[in-house]
Amino acid sequence: MKRWLLILVAVVSLSGCGYNQFQALDEASKSAWSEVLNQYQRRADLVPNIVATVKGEASFEQDTLTKVIEARAKATSIQVTPETLNNPEAFNKFQQAQGELSSALSRLMVVSERYPDLKANQAFKDLRVTLEGTENRITVARNRYIESVQEYNVLARSFPTNLTAKIFSYAPKPNFSVQNEAQISAPPTVDFSAPKK
């Protein structure tokens, strides 16, 4: 009788250890990360079309185009594997390359405002709308990844599942961070006064 009682206690205690929950949440975070990568790839695929359209504008600033091309090359050269999710250094390197591409594309869009012929070009308008939609999709995909990592990390750090995490080496996963947090936390200055001549 005592033997059956011990087996029953072992089964009940193992069912609450969170092992299966770790597996489910690990897969959910990998799936969410795959969607982030999918959207990054969509953006990277759009860049050559945008550059080709912009190159048609003879007076366009070549330096800006070069930076976009270089940022895309750097962002697509970093190999991402499932292990990247568990390696904070590799994760930050990838995230930084994607941030540089976002920054270069933002500069391209700002500079393009100075070129009325380019702004009137229907192909450029269509590409710009598609790029804006892709940036929104990236934001949604990042948010889903952040939520899945949060759920995983809470499980990895909560008692008693943190014991399972230690036994099976389920370390908390790295999350997205902002490279220029101090800069973006300062409120923007808004000035509607006319510029002085």
Side-chain angles (χ1 to χ4, degrees):
M1 183 69 174
K2 285 185 178 182
R3 182 176 179 188
W4 287 106
L5 185 59
L6 285 174
I7 292 173
L8 181 64
V9 168
V11 167
V12 169
S13 65
L14 286 176
S15 67
C17 73
Y19 180 81
N20 290 335
Q21 229 179 332
F22 275 110
Q23 302 311 307
L25 292 177
D26 187 46
E27 288 303 315
S29 68
K30 287 177 183 175
S31 174
W33 179 247
S34 293
E35 181 57 25
V36 171
L37 293 177
N38 181 38
Q39 296 307 324
Y40 280 150
Q41 185 61 50
R42 175 185 164 95
R43 178 177 65 182
D45 292 344
L46 283 172
V47 170
N49 295 331
I50 291 172
V51 169
T53 304
V54 171
K55 275 185 178 177
E57 182 66 32
S59 62
F60 201 80
E61 296 166 11
Q62 200 62 32
D63 182 50
T64 304
L65 285 176
T66 303
K67 287 183 181 173
V68 170
I69 293 167
E70 288 171 355
R72 178 190 183 269
K74 185 175 179 182
T76 57
S77 71
I78 297 175
Q79 297 298 317
V80 179
T81 63
E83 290 76 33
T84 304
L85 295 178
N86 298 322
N87 182 340
E89 186 178 316
F91 187 82
N92 285 336
K93 185 177 178 182
F94 176 77
Q95 190 177 342
Q96 186 176 18
Q98 291 297 329
E100 287 174 16
L101 180 56
S102 293
S103 178
L105 285 170
S106 294
R107 282 192 303 275
L108 176 68
M109 293 305 150
V110 168
V111 170
S112 70
E113 291 293 320
R114 290 187 246 154
Y115 295 88
D117 292 342
L118 182 60
K119 284 174 42 179
N121 181 319
Q122 188 60 43
F124 182 73
K125 285 181 185 178
D126 293 345
L127 286 168
R128 186 175 181 157
V129 167
T130 304
L131 184 62
E132 288 170 0
T134 299
E135 291 296 331
N136 289 336
R137 288 178 181 197
I138 289 171
T139 300
V140 169
R142 280 181 183 163
N143 286 339
R144 288 183 182 147
Y145 174 73
I146 289 167
E147 289 168 4
S148 70
V149 167
Q150 177 188 9
E151 194 173 351
Y152 177 92
N153 287 348
V154 165
L155 183 68
R157 297 177 70 199
S158 299
F159 184 80
T161 54
N162 67 335
L163 301 175
T164 303
K166 287 181 184 182
I167 291 170
F168 292 102
S169 300
Y170 295 135
K173 294 183 180 290
N175 218 328
F176 279 103
S177 62
V178 178
Q179 301 297 325
N180 57 349
E181 188 174 339
Q183 182 182 1
I184 64 171
S185 63
T189 304
V190 178
D191 183 10
F192 292 108
S193 62
K196 296 179 181 179
K197 295 181 182 180

